[in-house]
Amino acid sequence: MASKTDKKKRRDFSDSESENETLDKFASVNIKTEVKKRKDFSDSEEEQPAVLVQSKVASVKPSKQRRDFSDSEDEDEKTKKGTSRMMSGANRPPVRTGHWSMGLLDSMNNPDLQIYKDDRIVVIKDKYPKAKYHYLVLPRISIPSLKSLKSEHLELLKDIHKKGREITEKHKSSGLDFRLGYHCVPSMSHLHMHVISQDFNSPCLKTKKHWNSFTTQYFVGSKDIIEQLETTGRVNPPAAGRHAELLKTPLRCHVCRQAQTNMPKLKQHILQHIKSK
């Protein structure tokens, strides 16, 4: 029979085992709790960088937008300044004043060139004379060329011719011959009759084209134009179809028809005829 002491010992041991089991369970729970805390903390640390990145992106975007807006404002300012300079004329391209072939319209109103004007015609000195005396007689109304002439212009052409004859009379004492006429295909727009002395003594007479435009069929007499307009009601010079060929004609003296090899020799030769008068 077991003594009371042994029973007490076993009970104490059993109680001790229970306490140990309780302690073990408590420790186990504490360990699990700590592990869970560490895991939650770790997860929190992993999420935190993502939050920070998003925060940084959010903070960068407004800054970039502000910079883009600032750049846009700078471009707008530059555009305004450029427009302002152009409007003020700083960068304005040069204004085209028209084709050179329209130059006669300006010359008609140039007081330095005008020698006569009335309500129908204007007489000017040729800006680049091909002889000692070289004038242009022009109608005030718009007539681009010989082909634009109509029967209604007949009286006007006669007035132009008459004024040309008056000019030659004023230079009668010079002893020079004159011709009145038109180029069949003029280089300048607006009808004009040439009144030109036949000495051709001018530094502006430089090329074969200049010479042949006044000494071949390229130059049509004023009386011939008037006669054609009276007869047919229009003007179409026969030489117009071969005007380019006429301008390339070999050089010849318009007085004696002697051939010359170049313009300097031709001009020197012409002086002999002028001195003989």
Side-chain angles (χ1 to χ4, degrees), residues 12-64:
D12 291 339
F13 178 76
S14 175
D15 291 339
S16 176
E17 283 185 326
S18 296
E19 289 175 357
N20 287 339
E21 287 177 359
T22 300
L23 291 172
D24 289 340
K25 289 179 180 179
F26 181 77
S28 176
V29 169
N30 286 341
I31 290 171
K32 289 180 178 179
T33 302
E34 184 67 18
V35 169
K36 186 175 185 304
K37 286 182 179 179
R38 290 182 180 180
K39 183 178 181 182
D40 293 340
F41 180 76
S42 176
D43 292 340
S44 175
E45 284 187 319
E46 290 177 357
E47 293 174 359
Q48 186 175 0
V51 174
L52 290 175
V53 170
Q54 292 178 355
S55 177
K56 289 180 179 180
V57 170
S59 64
V60 167
K61 284 183 178 179
S63 176
K64 184 176 186 302

Side-chain angles (χ1 to χ4, degrees), residues 63-189:
S63 176
K64 184 176 186 302
Q65 290 174 351
R66 286 194 296 272
R67 185 167 65 251
D68 291 343
F69 180 76
S70 177
D71 292 342
S72 177
E73 284 185 320
D74 290 343
E75 290 177 357
D76 289 342
E77 190 64 24
K78 290 178 181 178
T79 301
K80 289 178 181 179
K81 288 181 180 179
T83 303
S84 177
R85 284 195 301 269
M86 289 185 70
M87 292 298 292
S88 66
N91 291 335
R92 186 181 300 166
V95 178
R96 297 185 66 182
T97 57
H99 195 268
W100 61 268
S101 63
M102 303 299 293
L104 283 180
L105 299 179
D106 292 331
S107 297
M108 286 175 65
N109 298 313
N110 187 339
D112 294 332
L113 297 177
Q114 280 185 359
I115 65 168
Y116 175 83
K117 63 179 180 179
D118 60 27
D119 59 340
R120 302 190 72 190
I121 61 177
V122 176
V123 181
I124 62 174
K125 294 180 289 186
D126 194 297
K127 196 172 182 178
Y128 305 100
K130 302 304 186 291
K132 185 176 181 179
Y133 302 108
H134 189 180
Y135 305 95
L136 305 178
V137 187
L138 311 95
R140 283 191 176 275
I141 64 173
S142 177
I143 303 177
S145 65
L146 291 173
K147 289 186 177 181
S148 303
L149 289 171
K150 301 176 182 178
S151 297
E152 62 195 59
H153 298 133
L154 182 59
E155 293 305 315
L156 177 60
L157 281 190
K158 289 181 178 180
D159 285 346
I160 289 174
H161 182 84
K162 180 181 178 181
K163 178 54 62 176
R165 295 304 305 171
E166 291 177 4
I167 294 172
T168 63
E169 287 296 320
K170 292 180 179 180
H171 296 294
K172 192 173 183 179
S173 60
S174 68
L176 297 172
D177 295 328
F178 282 80
R179 286 192 71 191
L180 282 62
Y182 302 81
H183 286 148
C184 64
V185 182
S187 57
M188 304 293 285
S189 182

